[in-house]
Amino acid sequence: MAGIAVIGAGMGALAAAARLAVAGHRVTVYERTDTYGGAVRRFERDGFGFDTGPGLLPLPAVWRDLFVKTGKEPLEECVELVQVDPSARHVFADGAEAALPNASRAGVVSALDEALGAQAGQRWGDFLVRAREAWDRTRRPLLEEPLWPNWSVLADREPYPAVPHRRLLRTRRAGTLAEVGAWELRDPRLAALLESHALAYGLDPRVAPASAAVLPYMEHAFGTWYVRGGMRELARAVYERCLARRVGFVFDAEVTRVLEKDGRAAGVELADGRVADADFVVAPGSFAGLPVRGEGEVVPQRSLPSRLTVLLALRGPRPQDATHRTVVHTQDREGELASLFGAVPSAPALPTVTVLRPDDARLVPDGDHEAVTIAAVVPAGPELPAGQTELRADALVAAAERAVPGLRDRVLWQEVRTSADIARETGAAGGAVPAPALAAAGGRMLHPANSTGLQGLFAVGGWSHPGGGLPHAGMSGALVSGLIVEGPRFRGSQ
């Protein structure tokens, strides 16, 4: 039995803590704030409740596995999982709309044909077949195994089987997601649908490798899910599983340094000067001063995104035909890309926004009100002046009105959440939000390994392998647990 100190109570850290405790170790979590969950939090006011982090759950099997491996009660006995159908409604720049069924290739093909014209659905369906091949090639080495020293195998090989394309007297294959959209989908609306999955994580589709095709494939193949009561309920369930496994928690306890003795991690030092000894230390990948594994280590080389979110308390009930998630695509794609990834970030007039309208009585004071969340990707960095923040928030609401007419007339009050709020809750510099790891692109889309340059110190969560997102956080917890319990011979889940 080893003593293990876990820095932070984010979802990846909680997943690692629960698994390590079941393996017989003494685990203590030190969290600098007063609660658990990292970015998975809730804002409440006047009987309304809103998720302030992820609003939906892809790939729930990751968390089902955690609950199977750490106790008798399965995930579905601890939270109520609801499959969202349709998975999403898309409102395109030209006004066309498409509601895509959840986890149904035939349904999606039919919906796109009806909305965008004959052959649109077939082109998207053919793309999903190729995306599945990329998923099959990368799933295990990218998501289920630690990032080994020979990670360049993932970095140098493009797993997406791009279709040959005749261009300027040469035959070329798509190397970026934008090229996949332009050369293989051949419809600006289908291209926007494809690119929206990358933009949701703050990835520039003009730079993101073609292997980013796995992002829409994951949603298509495994469905989109919601946790009744809000995604904070998932964090609560994982926290309570940790307590049941006798994981200790110390809140309002900021760790400032990892202690080292004889060339290995030996504990942590807190801001108040207290010292806690440990045989192993698990830290978030963004922890200041975290040493990487050494020569050849992967370090992300991309601009970092954050999110701007507007929480709306509305008068009037939620319409019965309302869609849980609507993506309203920008009418100025070039302006949006320049605003997010240009040398001088700015704000497009109407950005791409995601509108969440959960059918959940637990989030409203009564049936005569509705809670709506509008979110858009923005560059991470210092908080903008109040006036600029309000202008950007107004732009989000204006964009959302393309999908929800009369939205502003129903507003009782609104709460704006900025990158500064994310930074305060997660500790990430500038409120940055990590993206999932992707293969190819010379390794620029990979994250640092879970093993570090200091023996006994491991990295967990979205800023380490395999990157950001709720499924990936759970995977990182499983990988760190395996590396500590089984040692260097650990080869991932079977």
Side-chain angles (χ1 to χ4, degrees):
M1 177 188 295
I4 300 176
V6 178
I7 303 174
M11 295 299 285
L14 293 179
R19 290 176 181 271
L20 289 166
V22 166
H25 298 296
R26 292 177 286 103
V27 183
T28 303
V29 177
Y30 299 89
E31 166 59 42
R32 66 180 184 85
T33 70
D34 61 358
T35 190
Y36 54 85
V40 185
R41 302 209 182 193
R42 176 183 291 144
F43 177 85
E44 296 179 338
R45 174 182 163 187
D46 300 340
F48 291 88
F50 303 86
D51 287 318
T52 60
L56 292 170
L57 178 65
L59 204 58
V62 172
W63 297 99
R64 289 191 179 111
D65 181 71
L66 172 72
F67 278 75
V68 167
K69 300 290 177 56
T70 59
K72 296 181 180 179
E73 303 85 7
L75 177 61
E76 281 81 354
E77 287 187 13
C78 302
V79 299
E80 183 182 353
L81 278 179
V82 181
Q83 193 167 21
V84 176
D85 201 11
S87 174
R89 168 188 172 213
H90 289 264
V91 178
F92 297 102
D94 65 353
E97 297 186 15
L100 305 183
N102 201 335
S104 169
R105 181 179 181 276
V108 168
V109 168
S110 177
L112 289 174
D113 275 343
E114 181 178 350
L116 306 183
Q119 302 304 312
Q122 186 61 52
R123 287 198 294 274
W124 184 259
D126 291 344
F127 157 74
L128 288 176
V129 172
R130 296 188 292 275
R132 176 180 179 175
E133 187 169 338
W135 169 261
D136 290 341
R137 290 174 177 175
T138 62
R139 175 184 58 84
R140 183 164 180 80
L142 188 63
L143 301 179
E144 298 178 358
E145 295 181 350
L147 191 64
W148 302 116
N150 64 343
W151 57 266
S152 59
V153 174
L154 276 172
D156 298 336
R157 184 180 303 167
E158 173 55 69
Y160 177 78
V163 176
H165 172 74
R166 188 76 173 173
R167 181 177 173 86
L168 300 177
L169 302 180
R170 292 190 301 163
T171 299
R172 300 182 59 186
R173 294 178 183 268
T176 67
L177 200 66
E179 290 174 341
V180 172
W183 299 352
E184 298 180 10
L185 297 179
R186 303 191 307 280
D187 184 312
R189 298 163 299 185
L190 290 179
L193 171 60
L194 171 64
E195 293 178 4
S196 67
H197 290 83
L199 285 170
Y201 289 106
L203 297 174
D204 185 347
R206 302 167 301 181
V207 176
S211 66
V214 299
L215 299 177
Y217 176 77
M218 284 174 56
E219 182 173 303
H220 161 75
F222 306 109
T224 303
W225 300 77
Y226 173 70
V227 178
R228 186 73 68 190
M231 296 304 301
R232 176 68 174 175
E233 287 298 293
L234 176 64
R236 174 199 56 77
V238 178
Y239 170 67
E240 291 181 353
R241 178 54 55 90
C242 287
L243 293 178
R245 301 284 81 82
R246 299 186 178 181
V247 174
F249 285 84
V250 184
F251 293 105
D252 296 311
E254 182 177 3
V255 174
T256 57
R257 187 163 66 97
V258 174
L259 302 179
E260 180 180 347
K261 183 178 180 180
D262 298 330
R264 63 171 291 124
V268 297
E269 181 178 323
L270 306 182
D272 61 9
R274 287 180 294 165
V275 169
D277 296 332
D279 300 297
F280 296 93
V281 176
V282 177
S286 57
F287 184 72
L290 188 72
V292 296
R293 193 169 50 199
E295 184 179 357
E297 183 55 79
V298 177
V299 178
Q301 298 293 320
R302 53 177 177 267
S303 59
L304 297 177
S306 185
R307 290 193 179 92
L308 180 66
T309 305
V310 183
L311 313 177
L312 297 178
L314 304 182
R315 61 174 64 89
R318 177 185 186 272
Q320 290 187 346
D321 61 350
T323 302
H324 189 121
R325 175 178 57 164
T326 299
V327 179
V328 184
H329 295 268
T330 183
Q331 295 173 311
D332 180 13
R333 174 49 56 86
E334 292 303 317
E336 178 173 55
L337 296 178
S339 74
L340 292 174
F341 309 110
V344 182
S346 59
L350 294 178
T352 295
V353 301
T354 298
V355 183
L356 297 180
R357 308 179 71 183
D359 184 10
D360 192 341
R362 296 169 62 179
L363 302 183
V364 290
D366 53 49
D368 291 326
H369 295 86
E370 183 180 7
V372 171
T373 300
I374 307 170
V377 174
V378 297
E383 186 171 13
L384 295 173
Q388 291 188 37
T389 297
E390 291 302 323
L391 286 175
R392 289 195 176 189
D394 288 345
L396 265 62
V397 177
E401 276 204 304
R402 291 177 51 211
V404 189
L407 176 63
R408 280 183 278 200
D409 294 336
R410 297 175 56 199
V411 175
L412 288 170
W413 52 262
Q414 72 177 36
E415 177 76 14
V416 179
R417 305 271 304 178
T418 70
S419 57
D421 296 301
I422 297 174
R424 184 177 61 255
E425 294 176 352
T426 68
V433 177
L438 296 172
R444 289 181 295 105
M445 302 296 171
L446 298 176
H447 290 261
N450 307 107
S451 301
T452 73
L454 179 63
Q455 187 177 359
L457 174 62
F458 297 87
V460 75
W463 296 106
S464 60
H465 181 72
L470 276 174
H472 298 72
M475 293 173 192
S476 77
L479 293 174
V480 167
S481 173
L483 287 167
I484 291 176
V485 173
E486 297 187 28
R489 69 179 182 277
F490 176 66
R491 289 297 181 269
S493 58
Q494 301 299 319

